[in-house]
Amino acid sequence: MVKRTRFDEESCPVARSVDAVGDWWSLLIVRDAFDGSRRFGEFQRSLGVAKNILSARLRALVENGILEQVPSGYELTAKGEALFPVIVALRQWGEAFAFAPGEPHSQLLDRRDQRPLKPLEVHAADGRLLAPADTEVHKVT
């Protein structure tokens, strides 16, 4: 078996985040948890993933503090719930770029009014809309 590259010692927050939830199964488990899945069997039925892989991913998500094991199964922690914008961003990117025009797909709706969410945007501290060219990375020491 190929050993997975670890990024938990990297100084980049993106690399460390990928280390915690960077494989597709883990992100799909988190997605399903947001959609109400709690039990091992619910995740397994939804994802169709092998039980050993699902067990390993659930264990890693618990070890990383993203899910917690409770008597009824698994629940998102505050750290896990903080991934909501990440899941929404991936969903919105997929809606825009991963489907042919008119191809059926799921859509995330505001529960209150049953309307699609406004696309996520990145804003400066003063409220200005930012594009990638408007940002730069600085190391925190």
Side-chain angles (χ1 to χ4, degrees):
M1 176 181 261
V2 176
K3 185 172 170 134
R4 185 172 88 88
T5 301
R6 303 274 321 171
F7 297 110
D8 54 349
E9 298 294 322
E10 289 288 323
S11 63
C12 174
V14 174
R16 287 197 183 190
S17 298
V18 167
D19 197 59
V21 294
D23 70 76
W24 60 81
W25 291 123
S26 295
L27 285 170
L28 292 174
I29 290 166
V30 170
R31 175 208 61 190
D32 282 3
F34 278 117
D35 291 345
S37 292
R38 296 288 176 263
R39 298 190 178 280
F40 185 94
E42 292 170 336
F43 291 113
Q44 212 278 322
R45 275 188 299 282
S46 172
L47 300 171
V49 61
K51 290 179 181 181
N52 63 323
I53 292 172
L54 179 57
S55 292
R57 296 314 186 275
L58 286 168
R59 187 172 37 258
L61 289 167
V62 169
E63 288 170 1
N64 281 305
I66 293 165
L67 292 176
E68 65 181 332
Q69 213 162 0
V70 296
S72 61
Y74 296 89
E75 287 184 358
L76 288 162
T77 63
K79 186 176 179 179
E81 287 191 354
L83 285 167
F84 183 65
V86 174
I87 298 298
V88 171
L90 285 169
R91 173 178 282 284
Q92 289 181 344
W93 184 89
E95 288 172 354
F97 299 108
F99 294 88
E103 184 179 0
H105 61 278
S106 64
Q107 190 174 42
L108 186 62
L109 303 177
D110 179 336
R111 189 180 303 271
R112 186 182 69 193
D113 64 14
Q114 296 298 298
R115 292 180 44 177
L117 306 184
K118 180 179 170 187
L120 291 180
E121 299 176 330
V122 177
H123 293 265
D126 65 7
R128 288 175 295 116
L129 183 63
L130 296 176
D134 299 322
T135 66
E136 61 186 30
V137 174
H138 283 252
K139 296 263 184 199
V140 177
T141 56

